[in-house]
Amino acid sequence: MSGLSAKNLATESPSEEPAYRWIVAQEGTRQGYAVPIAFHRLGMLRLFYADIWCRWGRSLLRRGSAGPRALATHFNAELPADRVVAFNLRAIADRVGQHFRGQFLSPVERADHYCRYGQWFATQVRNHLETMELDPWVDHFFGFNTNCLETLELLRSYQILTVVDQVDPGVIEEEIVLAEAERWPGWAKVPGRLPSSYWERLKAEWKAADLVLVNSKWSADALTQQGIPSEKIITVPLAIDIPKGHLSMPIKTSGNLKVLWLGSLILRKGIQYLAEAAWKLEPRNIEFLLAGPIGISDAAIRSFPSNMRFLGRVTRDQLGEIYRQAHVFVLPTISDGFAVTQLEAMVHGLPVITTPNCGEVVSDGVDGFVVPARDSQALADALARLNDDRALLREMSGNCLAKALKYDLPSNARFINRAVFQFLHGKAKRDVPAHTAAK
């Protein structure tokens, strides 16, 4: 069986949803809890493990600074209380300490923290699962890279099917980033490699899991280069929760063109090429809004042109306001597992300018532009075209919501379910004794 993608999962799926029960474990607020919510909407979520779950005090926390506001986002009312297990005390203490230490950590120290925290979280999940009755015929597990190894090892002994979500392209991405740091000397804030222990933990998770899920062909190709058999990889794009009745009208196209960057300002996401493009466009009335934590050097920031404005770090409760300030969303990424911000921007009617090195969301010339990675001139040309042709900008904006609707939240849970069905169906065929198969 070759690797499975959303395209062939859609055409080779069972006529009915398989009757599985899913256990999901996730640290942080990744994807806005899209995976457990999607399984819950299909009636398939047995249990959700979170490191932090803010059941009470959210209204008070939302009035605080960025840290407390971020803590308040560790919750979703749609998930029933009796389906959620959290480990708040240790996790909150760790996050507070990490908040004050994070900007001073080297790549080695940061990776060591990821692994220690992931090991702690996976151990807590494992210990809780040991108290439960699990049925290998219907119970399946879904976890995320670096924080599920100990859980996977337990469940393998129970013959429970497991899926690990590898959210990025792994060491291939690190090599790309290191090459960028050499190409842009002095830009990386804390340059360096991650330790081998980090990559060894990832490989151990890939080996322990039955299936490795990625969100783009870009990531799938990278993982096959790292030795994962293609038949073990499933490619399922991210999804987004669009509120019922949401209607995104085409954006107002008057005024200076406002271009939004949302995410960490780092070499991997191509901030250096956006800065080059901004210099080329400085004579025009184009403004660049940069929202997110700064991960490049002060010297690099000082080299930015005057048309780039910093909005700082934003929390999830501020995203709608940030998107509404802009006309265009830009993602000149060198490497991304998917980048769900593409979908978020489209929900708000923003055409997206991106590269091929991430999830394949944008239809070039329809709801945005796809430009080559590392090509600041192509990026500047695309932005100049939208600045000069406001009718095209409005047309693309009108196409955005229709595109985002194709990535509705339950769809990725169905794709995961179908991939598991096909995997188990194929495995059952392979496990039939030869004398039985011949009859």
Side-chain angles (χ1 to χ4, degrees):
M1 182 176 67
S2 60
L4 296 173
S5 67
K7 182 177 180 180
N8 59 38
L9 286 173
T11 57
E12 300 175 12
S13 57
S15 57
E16 296 181 3
E17 295 290 348
Y20 299 146
R21 298 185 305 199
W22 283 92
I23 298 166
V24 180
Q26 169 185 326
E27 60 93 2
T29 61
R30 184 180 303 280
Q31 304 168 32
Y33 301 114
V35 173
I37 291 172
F39 282 128
H40 174 62
R41 288 184 185 175
L42 296 180
M44 296 180 178
L45 181 68
R46 180 175 182 184
L47 206 58
F48 173 50
Y49 291 99
D51 57 339
I52 299 173
W53 197 247
C54 191
R55 299 181 191 272
W56 304 283
R58 293 184 303 281
S59 59
L60 182 62
L61 290 170
R62 291 189 190 105
R63 301 173 192 168
S65 58
R69 289 203 314 275
L71 184 61
T73 65
H74 287 251
F75 181 79
N76 189 290
E78 188 172 346
L79 294 175
D82 62 352
R83 301 288 176 89
V84 180
V85 176
F87 313 105
N88 283 349
L89 196 59
R90 157 72 189 272
I92 292 175
D94 184 275
R95 289 302 174 93
V96 171
Q98 186 68 6
H99 172 73
F100 291 105
R101 296 192 307 268
Q103 60 179 321
F104 304 108
L105 294 180
S106 69
V108 170
E109 292 170 327
R110 192 163 57 249
D112 284 343
H113 174 266
Y114 290 155
C115 291
R116 286 196 306 271
Y117 190 79
Q119 181 180 21
W120 167 78
F121 178 68
T123 301
Q124 301 307 304
V125 174
R126 181 194 65 191
N127 292 345
H128 190 272
L129 284 172
E130 286 180 320
T131 69
M132 296 174 57
E133 291 289 335
L134 300 174
D135 184 347
W137 290 99
V138 294
D139 286 319
H140 302 320
F141 173 81
F142 190 100
F144 291 82
N145 66 273
T146 74
N147 56 61
C148 64
L149 176 59
E150 291 70 23
T151 310
L152 296 173
E153 291 171 340
L154 170 75
L155 295 180
R156 182 169 56 180
S157 70
Y158 289 177
Q159 296 185 309
I160 300 295
L161 182 135
T162 57
V163 179
V164 60
D165 188 327
Q166 177 59 41
V167 301
D168 60 46
V171 72
I172 299 296
E173 185 169 271
E174 183 183 60
E175 296 295 337
I176 291 172
V177 173
L178 290 172
E180 284 300 308
E182 291 183 7
R183 190 172 182 176
W184 295 81
W187 274 62
K189 196 168 190 176
V190 187
R193 289 182 177 274
L194 297 180
S196 60
S197 57
Y198 178 84
W199 304 118
E200 288 166 2
R201 182 172 177 84
L202 289 190
K203 290 179 180 179
E205 287 176 331
W206 300 342
K207 182 178 180 180
D210 292 290
L211 293 168
V212 178
L213 183 144
V214 295
N215 304 124
S216 64
K217 184 178 182 298
W218 173 256
S219 288
D221 291 343
L223 292 197
T224 56
Q225 292 179 52
Q226 294 167 74
I228 300 183
S230 61
E231 61 269 19
K232 191 171 184 173
I233 298 173
I234 56 175
T235 304
V236 178
L238 294 185
I240 190 167
D241 191 16
I242 302 175
K244 290 183 178 179
H246 177 85
L247 180 62
S248 178
M249 301 298 291
I251 56 173
K252 294 181 180 179
T253 58
S254 58
N256 293 350
L257 188 75
K258 291 184 172 60
V259 180
L260 175 64
W261 165 292
L262 179 61
S264 297
L265 279 69
I266 53 179
L267 295 179
R268 177 176 63 81
K269 289 187 175 289
I271 186 62
Q272 60 276 33
Y273 299 104
L274 185 65
E276 278 193 334
W279 272 112
K280 298 174 189 296
L281 296 169
E282 194 174 27
R284 296 171 176 263
N285 293 324
I286 298 178
E287 301 175 33
F288 294 84
L289 310 177
L290 309 179
I294 296 175
I296 54 177
S297 67
D298 292 340
I301 294 295
R302 289 194 295 270
S303 73
F304 282 16
S306 60
N307 54 1
M308 302 186 86
R309 178 159 61 94
F310 296 94
L311 304 181
R313 184 190 296 265
V314 297
T315 52
R316 290 203 64 84
D317 58 322
Q318 299 173 307
L319 291 183
E321 177 186 349
I322 296 296
Y323 282 118
R324 285 190 290 271
Q325 292 182 37
H327 296 106
V328 183
F329 184 77
V330 66
L331 179 70
T333 183
I334 311 301
S335 179
D336 257 289
F338 185 87
V340 75
T341 49
Q342 298 177 92
L343 297 178
E344 293 175 346
M346 286 185 172
V347 168
H348 290 86
L350 302 187
V352 175
I353 301 177
T354 188
T355 74
N357 298 8
C358 59
E360 299 174 359
V361 174
V362 175
S363 296
D364 188 45
V366 177
D367 41 42
F369 292 113
V370 180
V371 301
R374 304 182 184 87
D375 191 335
S376 60
Q377 186 60 57
L379 183 58
D381 290 343
L383 290 168
R385 183 176 176 187
L386 291 179
N387 181 58
D388 296 343
D389 191 343
R390 298 304 175 98
L392 176 61
L393 174 61
R394 184 176 180 83
E395 179 184 342
M396 285 186 169
S397 175
N399 293 333
C400 284
L401 183 60
K403 172 59 69 66
L405 287 171
K406 296 180 180 180
Y407 295 83
D408 64 297
L409 197 54
S411 66
N412 67 340
R414 289 194 178 96
F415 286 143
I416 295 166
N417 242 27
R418 293 165 185 174
V420 167
F421 176 86
Q422 292 175 30
F423 173 80
L424 291 175
H425 186 64
K427 185 175 186 297
K429 285 184 176 180
R430 293 191 295 272
D431 288 348
V432 172
H435 68 277
T436 304
K439 289 183 178 180

